[in-house]
Amino acid sequence: MTTSRRELLKLMTAAGAALTASGLLISRTSLSDTRAGGPAGASPFAAQPVAAQALAPIVTPFRTAMPIPPVARPVSVTSTTDTYSIPVTQTTAEIIPGVRTPVLTYGGSFPGPTIKARSGRRVVVKQPNRITTGTSMHLHGAVVDPANDGGPMDLITPGGQRTYTYPNPQVAATLWYHDHAHHMEAEHVYRGMSGFYLISDDNEDALPLPRGTYDVPIVVRDIGLNPDGTLFFDHNFDTRPQILVNGKPQPYFQVAARKYRLRILNGSNQRPFEFRLSDGGEFTQIASDRGLLPAPYTTTTLPLSPAERADIVVDFSRYPVGSSVVLENAYFPEPSNKEILRFDVVRSAYDPSSVPARLATLPPTAAPTQTRNYTLDFDVQTGAGSISGKTWDEQRVDTTVRQGDTEVWEIKNTHPFIPHNFHIHLVDFRILDIDGKPPTPGDAGLKDTVRIGPGETARILVHFDFPYSGRYYYHCHLIDHSSMGMMANLEITR
């Protein structure tokens, strides 16, 4: 890490300390917050968090095999619809070998089960809430009506149940679902409430990409653990030093000497990553947030802020059987969390897959009707996040757009050292430029989340061409910032 990055990390840590001092820290006791639908004192995590300096030591990397998240099985199937039952439950997970850690989950697994969907085929999720606080499941990246978007105040009360319906009128993409209950979304997601949602379509099926067991979902995130194995939660960036991959600390994954498709999600609350292979080797990015790129992009680095996704193809045939290569983090690479995941090449294998020169055709763009300007603001003294000077208010409409319009949104991160990003519900967008520089080919596809570093300005082209109107949201997806008010309301009118 360079000196400037060390100073930046110190400043980010100081920002977290300021949040704690301000009283805006969401500790374990906040799970009983009545604003999220839970009775006071009902939280299963009612004890106060242990001091940050008492965190458990980082686990030695590569002691545990990386699991693949379980695939959800429908409880019923018709000619048009797959129906699932995925309750919200409290359980324990063996994050550290031999230690059971209390977690909040979808369907009892950490991370949650992967839902496999098909473009144009309906998915229904029946969701009982079996924990003591209100929840709201948001399918991030979904084209869906407001009633099924999982809004921040559209809660399933403790003991209640609701049904979400997803029509999936969109192209193949790697999406994910997570809790969005306001003031609680950061802690709920941190404690385990997220999972993959993979949409396939005819175009993707026709491509000779790696598939089956060679198509692997990978969620990377960070946590902090108390000495007793319980999760430590606050809003301090530097109290989450342990890196997890599919719920396990810096694991290994045995691969064949052939091509793999890796669907990588940054599932952290706040931590950005910049992924690379330890030998500096190239890999091929084939998709971003909302689907396949127009053409493959060969690169050696993959930056992802929280909630961003990218599909890459790594050809392990260039490594001898018996060798290993490590997926590393080049963003704030402290020795304890530089190494993310070790790939062990254990066998040879037949490989009929390839990456074609053309992957997808992006929809045409239209001339913008207007330009809007936004600022992302964060006060480290009070812990208040805001967009264009306003903290989120569920009663206020912040932006009104007409269905079918195309707009340029210019978003500036005003903070000198804290990174942000920007996510819009329902719609995808194209990145025009960041600080006047065009996006790399890896960011030139359909996006729903854009990285905006300290002091940077991003311009995006947004086309509101989906057949839904009503209330949606836009916010920073460093999800602690959303919890602290860096969110606004979007009204789409016909």
Side-chain angles (χ1 to χ4, degrees):
M1 181 185 291
T2 65
T3 301
S4 62
R5 280 191 169 183
R6 287 188 185 278
E7 292 303 313
L8 177 55
L9 185 54
K10 288 178 183 178
L11 289 168
M12 291 182 73
T13 301
L19 297 180
T20 303
S22 72
L24 289 176
L25 166 66
I26 298 180
S27 70
R28 291 181 200 161
T29 56
S30 68
L31 279 171
S32 62
D33 192 333
T34 56
R35 290 171 298 182
S43 169
F45 302 97
Q48 290 293 327
V50 177
Q53 60 267 25
L55 290 178
I58 302 299
V59 174
T60 302
F62 316 138
R63 297 286 184 89
T64 306
M66 183 191 80
I68 306 298
V71 175
R73 294 185 176 183
V75 294
S76 68
V77 176
T78 70
S79 60
T80 62
T81 305
D82 299 323
T83 300
Y84 296 85
S85 176
I86 303 180
V88 179
T89 62
Q90 180 200 351
T91 185
T92 61
E94 189 177 283
I95 299 173
I96 305 302
V99 177
R100 304 301 300 185
T101 296
V103 293
L104 301 178
T105 72
Y106 290 114
S109 67
F110 180 85
T114 298
I115 298 174
K116 292 192 174 182
R118 185 78 183 174
S119 178
R121 181 175 173 80
R122 186 167 53 239
V123 164
V124 171
V125 176
K126 296 181 178 180
Q127 189 159 95
N129 179 9
R130 297 174 182 166
I131 65 172
T132 59
T133 54
T135 65
S136 178
M137 190 175 83
H138 170 57
L139 179 50
H140 182 118
V143 177
V144 68
D145 65 279
N148 291 284
D149 186 51
M153 301 302 292
D154 191 7
L155 303 183
I156 313 173
T157 58
Q161 176 175 308
R162 73 162 297 166
T163 298
Y164 294 98
T165 299
Y166 306 120
N168 302 309
Q170 56 196 111
V171 298
T174 299
L175 309 185
W176 68 304
Y177 59 93
H178 62 78
D179 183 74
H180 213 308
H182 188 48
H183 289 307
M184 298 307 303
E185 62 264 55
E187 187 163 3
H188 283 173
V189 172
Y190 180 80
R191 294 191 183 278
M193 292 176 60
S194 67
F196 280 101
Y197 188 101
L198 309 181
I199 302 177
S200 61
D201 66 8
D202 291 343
N203 174 64
E204 183 184 66
D205 288 351
L207 299 174
L209 298 170
R211 62 187 65 206
T213 58
Y214 305 107
D215 181 349
V216 182
I218 294 175
V219 56
V220 183
R221 55 166 301 198
D222 58 344
I223 61 167
L225 287 167
N226 292 315
D228 63 358
T230 57
L231 287 169
F232 176 87
F233 177 80
D234 69 13
H235 287 303
N236 190 338
F237 174 86
D238 202 34
T239 60
R240 300 168 178 172
Q242 179 69 64
I243 304 300
L244 301 184
V245 182
N246 289 352
K248 296 296 183 180
Q250 294 162 278
Y252 64 86
F253 182 51
Q254 294 184 338
V255 298
R258 55 152 291 159
K259 289 183 285 297
Y260 281 72
R261 177 179 183 171
L262 307 178
R263 301 176 185 254
I264 301 179
L265 158 67
N266 182 348
S268 294
N269 280 37
Q270 295 191 71
R271 184 180 295 274
F273 290 99
E274 185 175 319
F275 298 104
R276 66 185 180 192
L277 295 174
S278 56
D279 67 341
E282 292 181 338
F283 49 84
T284 303
Q285 185 179 348
I286 60 170
S288 58
D289 296 338
R290 291 283 282 261
L292 293 168
L293 299 173
Y297 171 49
T298 300
T299 182
T300 58
T301 59
L302 176 65
L304 291 179
S305 66
E308 286 188 291
R309 292 90 65 206
D311 294 11
I312 65 173
V313 173
V314 180
D315 190 351
F316 293 105
S317 68
R318 66 175 181 257
Y319 302 106
V321 173
S323 66
S324 299
V325 64
V326 175
L327 184 68
E328 294 182 338
N329 175 30
Y331 194 98
F332 294 156
E334 295 293 338
S336 61
N337 56 39
K338 175 182 177 181
E339 297 174 317
I340 302 295
L341 169 64
R342 191 181 71 194
F343 298 103
D344 296 335
V345 184
V346 297
R347 60 184 176 87
S348 58
Y350 171 66
D351 186 6
S353 70
S354 63
V355 179
R358 299 298 302 172
L359 296 167
T361 300
L362 300 186
T365 59
T369 55
Q370 68 170 312
T371 297
R372 300 180 190 267
N373 294 279
Y374 301 93
T375 57
L376 304 180
D377 310 297
F378 191 83
D379 187 334
V380 299
Q381 298 303 315
T382 65
S386 61
I387 296 179
S388 299
K390 297 178 180 178
T391 296
W392 185 68
D393 180 348
E394 64 177 305
Q395 302 299 326
R396 184 185 65 234
V397 175
D398 298 285
T399 298
T400 301
V401 302
R402 291 185 308 175
Q403 188 181 76
D405 280 1
T406 299
E407 300 185 351
V408 173
W409 286 21
E410 186 172 295
I411 310 114
K412 181 176 179 59
N413 177 358
T414 63
H415 209 279
F417 60 80
I418 294 180
H420 295 302
N421 65 18
F422 194 80
H423 168 57
I424 310 176
H425 288 214
L426 177 68
V427 297
D428 52 49
F429 53 76
R430 314 281 183 89
I431 300 174
L432 297 175
D433 55 65
I434 297 179
D435 277 355
K437 299 178 181 178
T440 67
D443 283 329
L446 301 177
K447 295 281 292 175
D448 58 41
T449 306
V450 58
R451 303 179 298 278
I452 311 175
E456 289 184 342
T457 298
R459 292 194 317 131
I460 61 175
L461 185 70
V462 193
H463 188 24
F464 296 92
D465 61 343
F466 296 108
Y468 299 118
S469 59
R471 176 65 58 86
Y472 292 92
Y473 308 90
Y474 53 94
H475 56 88
C476 178
H477 218 295
L478 278 69
I479 200 167
D480 294 72
H481 298 176
S482 175
S483 285
M484 294 180 282
M486 197 177 293
M487 180 166 62
N489 299 320
L490 169 67
E491 192 76 21
I492 301 176
T493 62
R494 295 184 186 274

